[in-house]
Amino acid sequence: MTRAERVWQLLTTSFSQILIPGLEVTIPLTVISFVFGLIIALLTALVQVAHIKGLRSLARFYVWIFRGTPMLVQLYIVFYGLPKMGLILDAIPSALIVFSLNTGAYASETMRAAIEAVPKGQMEAGLCAGMSYTDVMFRLILPQALRTAFPPLSNTLIGLVKDTSLAANITVTEMFLAAQRIAARTYEPFVLYCEVGVLYLLICTVLTRLQRICEKKLERRGPRAA
Amino acid sequence: MLLEINHIQKSFDNLAVLKDVSLKVNSGDVITILGRSGSGKTTLLRCLNFLERADKGDMLFDGTHYDLHAAPKSQIAALRKKTGFVFQDYNLFINKTALKNVTEGLIAGHGMKRAEAEDIGMEMLRRVGMAEKRDSYPHELSGGQQQRVAIARAMAANPRIIFFDEPTSALDPQLVGEVLAVMRSLAEGGMTMMVVTHEMNFARNVSTRTVLMHEGEIAEEAPPSEFFTHPRSEAARRFLSLEGK
Ligand SMILES: Nc1ncnc2c1ncn2[C@@H]1O[C@H](COP(=O)(O)OP(=O)(O)O)[C@@H](O)[C@H]1O
Ligand SMILES: [Mg+2]
């Protein structure tokens, strides 16, 4: 067997061994963390724009902590640190918690800015039309803000796909750890890491396409808030 | 008496913007509020709808007493359901069609069924000549058209009074007429209106009473026939000479 043949064989056999953790771990981890992250982000943004006193400072504190520390450190604290404090979490739940809270912190800033970019007159006009603050917020302000927030939130999602590879450090067998194990066994790090890189690239390319399609759809329904 | 405003005071930081303003409005009155920029006209209207909290003052509106400084939320919500507000820059809901702009408040605020709200919405759009634009978004409409939809929105819940804050000031001159015509027909239909405006002809020909605001106070209050021909106050005389009338 020539070297080229050997590499080709390695690529074909390892492909499914990397793809399967991708489908079973990387993608679910990304999707679930992103959904939880968005819910956390929405609540965090809302308590800030609605000036809910105690919760507002709590929200600022949370954003400050999670934006100001490396995700890798957060993963280590939760997975290796918390057990010493008596709280034992499995690797996947640990990763889900950290990725959700991280996404929540970043996305809440995006949402807050988008809500604040909606002209003040929209709220006033809604109130004058007889609606409550909450009704105006959910029926008028948030839909406008989400359109402004859509491109940056898509970015956050694409970032998250790649960041899930950090979970390899806490023993989560996602795509990167799968590739790492095969590389160690076959002594072909260049091939394997390029291969896993291409797989990440594929996922992100699909997401970018989807983002474009959604943006076109949104655009047809009028402009975003200025 | 529909509305009796007593001794409103309002400052921003240290700037006294309203210094003890009182005013009575009868049902069917069309009050035009004139005055130089910065005299407190907008602030007055906004305090009446609690978009701004007055420092002091109270009002009697449609049989209910309101503390303009300390009214509770529930009272404010109820008040806003009985009033309409038309803004200088229209403030149509950006992401809603013309019809939805009118029906949104009826459905979400007044608890009306969609079908009923749409019937009323279409009737309101017809009255302002915008029925055929029911499915247009605000950015597809001219300023005059947007303001007419905003007036339809303000009329929709059959309010006891509509406040207008310079409804034609943001418009290109050739679009002013269509909005004033709608306001005029509204006035002729008996709607009670308080209109901040720089349109002297509207004040002269449509309003039942003219109020001149000057430095946070009412400098003069008179029927337009008197106000424009025999202004009593120095402020009014100066205002009218500057307006060239
Ligand atoms: N939210 C605000 N904060 C600070 N100052 C304000 C605010 N709103 C209005 N003012 C000031 O109050 C004064 C009166 O404003 P306004 O009621 O808008 O006058 P008008 O509508 O007659 O032009 C102006 O000097 C203006 O700068
Ligand atoms: Mg003004």
Side-chain angles (χ1 to χ4, degrees), chain A residues 122 124 130 139 144 222-223, chain B residues 46 92-95 104 109 139:
Chain A
Q122 296 286 301
E124 293 186 345
R139 298 176 68 110
Q144 292 180 36
Chain B
R46 288 171 61 84
L92 287 188
F93 307 135
I94 296 166
N95 57 336
E104 196 71 8
H139 71 103

